[in-house]
């Protein structure tokens, strides 16, 4: 049965008029316009590398953009793998993420089908930028409005977006955030904890050194020169192969600089 858009609008309106009437499944989905091109932008990198903060800023700056968090695709708390050496749950290995569901979500988005996700990630109403910085970026986006025409920008942030070439290839623009070990460690340990699908997680003692960093090194070493992650220097042949944007977020890097690098790279790739 073919349903035209006018009929669908009347049907949904009818359902809302009668609360006891079951809302059809398609009310949980939205679709892009037939001529709208979906651009998938990955903001990946280690825990505490700044990717989520920048993703949230870009989402607020760019009208009609969408933000997807890889953290929303974790398996349930009880299904997170246990590290055999420490006995801790390992939230930082690929096996902790439901990548089948994640791939399906991105493939649907690529087709213009957006299914609502009940995110565990707190939303941000504050850009965390100075007013003049916000004004600068707004003007830059307005000046380049022709670049964004008939495009839906979809940001995806996550710690496990670049460990697997098959995942990398899902994205049109790839921003790789990284920082030295000590910087990442101090940022991670300053956090109070994380909301999970079933509760709240607080890192046990030395969790970054024993779980987070070793898992990151194991899955991302190939991205670094000589596979030496401690160097914080990316392997240029890999950067060129996958067209990665190198975003080095060390202690001296400001949010303004991170957003500037990210936004400029996105505009250049459009």
């Amino acid at each position: 049965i073919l349903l035209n858009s006018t009929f669908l609008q009347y049907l949904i309106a009818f359902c809302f008029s009668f609360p006891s009437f079951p809302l059809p499944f398609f009310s949980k989905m939205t679709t892009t316009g037939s001529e709208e091109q979906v651009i998938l932008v990955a903001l990946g990198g280690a825990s505490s590398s700044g990717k989520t903060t920048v993703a949230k800023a870009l989402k607020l700056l760019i009208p009609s953009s969408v933000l997807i968090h890889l953290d929303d695709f974790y398996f349930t708390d009880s299904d997170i793998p246990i590290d055999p050496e420490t006995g801790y749950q390992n939230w930082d290995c690929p096996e902790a993420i439901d990548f089948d569901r994640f791939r399906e979500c991105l493939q649907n988005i690529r087709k213009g089908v957006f299914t609502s996700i009940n995110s565990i990630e707190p939303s941000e109403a504050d850009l965390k930028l100075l007013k003049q910085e916000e004004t600068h970026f707004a003007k830059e986006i307005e000046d380049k409005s022709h670049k964004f025409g008939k495009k839906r920008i979809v940001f995806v942030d996550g710690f496990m977006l670049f460990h697997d070439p098959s995942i990398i290839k899902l994205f049109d623009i790839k921003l790789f955030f990284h920082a030295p070990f000590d910087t990442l460690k101090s940022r991670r340990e300053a956090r109070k904890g994380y909301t999970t699908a079933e509760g709240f997680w607080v890192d046990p003692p030395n969790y970054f050194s024993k779980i987070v960093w070793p898992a990151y090194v194991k899955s991302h070493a190939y991205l670094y020169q000589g596979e030496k992650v401690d160097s914080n220097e990316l392997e240029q042949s890999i950067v060129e192969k996958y067209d990665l944007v190198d975003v080095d977020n060390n202690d001296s890097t400001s949010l303004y600089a991170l957003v500037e690098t990210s936004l400029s790279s996105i505009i250049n790739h459009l």
Side-chain angles (χ1 to χ4, degrees):
I1 299 174
L2 297 178
L3 302 177
N4 62 40
S5 60
T6 302
F7 176 80
L8 291 177
Q9 291 172 0
Y10 279 117
L11 180 56
I12 292 173
F14 173 80
C15 293
F16 276 115
S17 299
F18 296 90
S20 61
F21 195 89
L23 198 62
F25 74 93
F26 49 75
S27 68
K28 297 180 181 179
M29 299 181 181
T30 58
T31 57
T32 61
S34 59
E35 297 181 358
E36 196 170 45
Q37 179 186 7
V38 172
I39 305 295
L40 288 171
V41 181
L43 295 92
S47 173
S48 304
S49 59
K51 59 193 178 296
T52 304
T53 301
V54 174
K56 288 180 176 180
L58 291 170
K59 162 68 174 65
L60 291 172
L61 285 167
I62 298 178
S64 301
S65 60
V66 176
L67 175 55
I68 305 294
H69 303 286
L70 181 65
D71 284 4
D72 290 323
F73 295 85
Y74 270 116
F75 286 111
T76 56
D77 297 22
S78 56
D79 291 326
I80 299 301
I82 301 296
D83 176 64
E85 293 185 12
T86 63
Y88 295 153
Q89 284 183 302
N90 186 348
W91 295 83
D92 289 81
C93 62
E95 293 76 19
I97 299 291
D98 187 347
F99 277 106
D100 288 340
R101 188 164 66 92
F102 180 65
R103 283 190 179 92
E104 182 181 9
C105 176
L106 295 190
Q107 288 165 356
N108 285 336
I109 288 174
R110 176 72 73 189
K111 298 173 185 176
V113 179
F114 293 76
T115 305
S116 61
I117 298 173
N118 293 323
S119 181
I120 62 173
E121 183 69 31
S123 59
E124 293 284 345
D126 181 8
L127 273 175
K128 297 183 179 179
L129 292 167
L130 298 176
K131 192 62 181 178
Q132 59 266 34
E133 294 174 341
E134 182 180 344
T135 301
H136 165 78
F137 290 128
K139 185 178 186 305
E140 185 174 356
I141 292 168
E142 183 179 1
D143 289 345
K144 301 292 183 179
S145 60
H146 62 282
K147 287 269 194 172
F148 295 94
K150 295 185 178 180
K151 294 182 178 69
R152 173 68 67 88
I153 308 299
V154 178
F155 299 109
V156 183
D157 89 275
F159 72 102
M160 199 67 69
L161 300 183
F162 301 143
H163 72 296
D164 180 347
S166 70
I167 299 294
I168 296 176
K169 292 176 182 178
L170 295 174
F171 300 101
D172 302 298
I173 302 172
K174 292 142 284 192
L175 309 176
F176 182 37
F177 290 71
H178 59 100
F181 170 86
D182 289 337
T183 298
L184 297 173
K185 182 175 183 291
S186 63
R187 289 174 184 167
R188 172 82 181 215
E189 293 180 347
R191 294 181 176 179
K192 295 180 180 179
Y194 300 83
T195 300
T196 67
E198 298 177 337
F200 192 78
W201 168 264
V202 177
D203 286 349
N206 301 312
Y207 190 78
F208 184 86
S209 299
K210 291 182 177 181
I211 299 292
V212 178
W213 186 251
Y216 177 72
V217 170
K218 181 179 179 180
S219 56
H220 290 79
Y222 81 101
L223 294 167
Y224 290 83
Q225 290 183 12
E227 298 195 354
K228 296 178 180 178
V229 182
D230 287 334
S231 71
N232 197 38
E233 297 291 337
L234 302 187
E235 174 56 56
Q236 289 307 303
S237 63
I238 298 295
V239 170
E240 293 172 6
K241 179 178 181 179
Y242 295 112
D243 195 21
L244 302 177
V245 177
D246 184 345
V247 186
D248 188 355
N249 182 15
N250 56 51
D251 284 330
S252 63
T253 310
S254 65
L255 177 58
Y256 173 85
L258 293 172
V259 174
E260 179 67 54
T261 297
S262 302
L263 181 58
S264 297
S265 298
I266 291 168
I267 291 173
N268 290 337
H269 278 78
L270 291 178

